[in-house]
């Protein structure tokens, strides 16, 4: 009986050792994959900062230019008025067509 228990305990120790070795091998793989992902993320952030840094300089230049007082432009005023007139005209034409269709449907329904 003692011998059977000793054999069983030895077998359990051996399986435990094998499981620990497999765990170590798997954890190495996970560490490698995690390291690669971390390096990829750092590389992406670094390149984003590198390219956005030049954009900040351009934005600063634009902001300094944008602070100048805008001059009056008659073309801008005309363009805005024309846009609103065209929008009003389109809206009135659409309403006319909708009313015409509604009246036709009423006449057909009678």
């Amino acid at each position: 009986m003692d011998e059977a228990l000793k054999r069983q305990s030895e077998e359990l120790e051996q399986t435990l050792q094998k499981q620990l070795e497999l765990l170590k091998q798997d954890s190495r793989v996970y560490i490698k994959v995690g390291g690669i992902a971390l390096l990829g993320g750092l590389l992406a952030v670094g390149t984003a900062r590198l390219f956005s840094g030049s954009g900040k300089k351009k934005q600063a230049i634009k902001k300094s230019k944008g602070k100048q007082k805008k001059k009056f432009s008659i073309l801008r005023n005309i363009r805005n008025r024309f846009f609103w007139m065209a929008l009003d005209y389109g809206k009135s034409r659409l309403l006319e067509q909708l009313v015409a269709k509604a009246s036709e449907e009423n006449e057909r329904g009678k």
Side-chain angles (χ1 to χ4, degrees):
M1 190 97 162
D2 288 331
E3 289 178 22
L5 288 173
K6 285 182 183 179
R7 286 182 194 164
Q8 192 177 15
S9 67
E10 287 176 8
E11 288 175 4
L12 286 174
E13 286 180 15
Q14 288 176 358
T15 56
L16 180 63
Q17 289 295 330
K18 288 180 183 178
Q19 287 177 350
L20 286 174
E21 288 176 14
L22 289 175
L23 180 66
K24 286 180 183 178
Q25 289 175 356
D26 287 344
S27 65
R28 287 179 189 157
V29 171
Y30 291 132
I31 289 173
K32 288 178 184 177
V33 170
I36 290 171
L38 181 65
L39 287 175
L42 290 174
L43 182 63
V45 168
T47 54
R49 285 188 180 174
L50 179 67
F51 288 120
S52 68
S54 62
K56 289 180 182 177
K57 292 177 187 175
K58 290 178 184 177
Q59 288 176 355
I61 292 170
K62 286 182 182 178
K63 285 183 181 178
S64 65
K65 287 184 180 179
K67 290 182 181 179
Q68 297 173 354
K69 188 175 180 181
K70 292 184 178 180
K71 296 180 182 177
F72 178 76
S73 171
I74 196 162
L75 292 177
R76 185 178 336 135
N77 192 11
I78 291 172
R79 183 180 61 224
N80 286 341
R81 287 179 186 239
F82 181 73
F83 170 75
W84 290 112
M85 284 174 43
L87 189 66
D88 256 355
Y89 178 73
K91 185 171 62 172
S92 65
R93 293 285 295 168
L94 179 65
L95 286 174
E96 287 175 8
Q97 290 177 356
L98 289 175
V99 168
K101 285 183 181 180
S103 64
E104 286 177 9
E105 288 179 6
N106 284 340
E107 289 177 0
R108 288 182 188 169
K110 289 183 181 179

